Amino acid sequence: MTTTASHEQQIRYIRTWDLSVRLFHWINALCIMGLSLLGLVMMFKPELGISGLDAKIGLKQAHSLVGYVFVANLLLRILWGFVGTRFARFGDIFRGAYSPRGISEYLSETRSGHSPQYLGHNPLGKPMVVCLFVLLVIMGATGLFRAGTDIYFPPFGKSIQRFLAAPDTNPADLKPYLEPGVDKQQQQALAPYKKWTGKAHVWGFYLLMVLVLLHISGAIITECRHQPGIISAMFSGKKPIAGKAADE
């Protein structure tokens, strides 16, 4: 008969997620919430009774400023993915990320009542994290481009102003969403790029919301059924491991 005391002795608390990973995770979550809220307000301005150019520009500026925090946080995480600790590195995350055999074996084990333990991401978590990273990069890149085309914010704003300015106009005099000083031909040439990056940003947002819901649902299911402590580990950095982890 296994006693509670002996069961507790089998659980080891192993430091998995370093401080940089944990900070990225929660800063990223806060940025996504803020950007999503501001983005939805911008999308539904008429329904919310918001009108006028000043309000339009103000919302876009606020969205862009939060976006800078989001992009800076993402860039630091990408850098850390190459030089950081073992489970922060992309080498560990991408290894086996798209292994049908690994996913099949993991699902088979969980369905048969077993609870395989993992220090890093489990075989279902890895492809989710990869998809999230790719989508975050796309959202950051398209967001920066649209901030440049719409309100002439860095890093593309000055180049876009120079591209759009009429021959007799100082590029710095161009104002967001206003026509004076804008070369019509150049504006038409930029329009297709502005359109598709805008669509990519909006549809990327919808896809991101789906992936975030799947990510949260997967974490809760894993926490409750297979590996308790994976959520608290993103706060403490330590995962409770019962027995030997599959990726030790």
Side-chain angles (χ1 to χ4, degrees), residues 21-34:
V21 170
R22 303 196 313 270
L23 284 175
F24 162 77
H25 183 275
W26 296 117
I27 292 173
N28 188 58
L30 290 172
C31 286
I32 288 174
M33 286 190 285

Side-chain angles (χ1 to χ4, degrees), residues 60 68 73 89 120 122 140 168 229:
K60 189 73 177 185
Y68 286 137
N73 188 49
R89 294 194 179 213
N122 65 45
D168 57 347

Side-chain angles (χ1 to χ4, degrees), residues 38-231:
L38 288 166
L40 288 170
V41 171
M42 287 192 294
M43 290 170 66
F44 296 100
K45 290 194 302 292
E47 292 80 358
L48 295 170
I50 299 172
S51 60
L53 183 59
D54 288 343
K56 183 178 182 178
I57 293 174
L59 284 169
K60 189 73 177 185
Q61 288 175 336
H63 187 79
S64 299
L65 291 173
V66 179
Y68 286 137
V69 179
F70 166 84
V71 170
N73 188 49
L74 181 60
L75 289 174
L76 288 172
R77 179 62 184 90
I78 291 173
L79 174 63
W80 197 241
F82 293 102
V83 301
T85 54
R86 174 188 168 186
F87 295 107
R89 294 194 179 213
F90 293 133
D92 182 81
I93 296 171
F94 281 77
R95 188 181 301 114
Y98 294 102
S99 169
R101 180 179 177 182
I103 294 173
S104 177
E105 289 176 352
Y106 176 75
L107 290 174
S108 178
E109 281 196 76
T110 55
R111 286 169 182 165
S112 63
H114 298 294
S115 295
Q117 307 286 287
Y118 288 87
L119 290 171
H121 296 288
N122 65 45
L124 277 181
K126 284 189 174 186
M128 172 61 72
V129 171
V130 171
C131 289
L132 281 169
F133 264 114
V134 171
L135 187 54
L136 292 177
V137 170
I138 293 171
M139 293 297 289
T142 54
L144 287 175
F145 184 77
R146 283 306 299 258
T149 61
D150 294 349
I151 54 176
Y152 307 131
F153 265 27
F156 303 112
K158 287 187 177 180
S159 297
I160 290 170
Q161 281 179 307
R162 287 195 295 269
F163 179 80
L164 290 175
D168 57 347
T169 301
N170 180 359
D173 291 337
L174 296 186
K175 303 300 180 185
Y177 302 110
L178 295 179
E179 296 295 326
V182 174
D183 186 297
K184 299 297 183 183
Q185 282 188 321
Q186 296 294 78
Q187 188 180 47
Q188 290 175 359
L190 181 66
Y193 300 99
K194 185 175 177 179
K195 181 178 180 180
W196 75 255
T197 51
K199 284 187 175 181
H201 200 70
V202 171
W203 284 104
F205 163 71
Y206 294 140
L207 179 57
L208 181 61
M209 291 301 99
V210 171
L211 292 182
V212 166
L213 287 174
L214 289 174
H215 174 63
I216 294 172
S217 300
I220 292 172
I221 291 170
T222 303
E223 172 82 26
C224 296
R225 296 183 181 179
H226 308 301
Q227 191 172 349
I230 64 164
I231 294 177

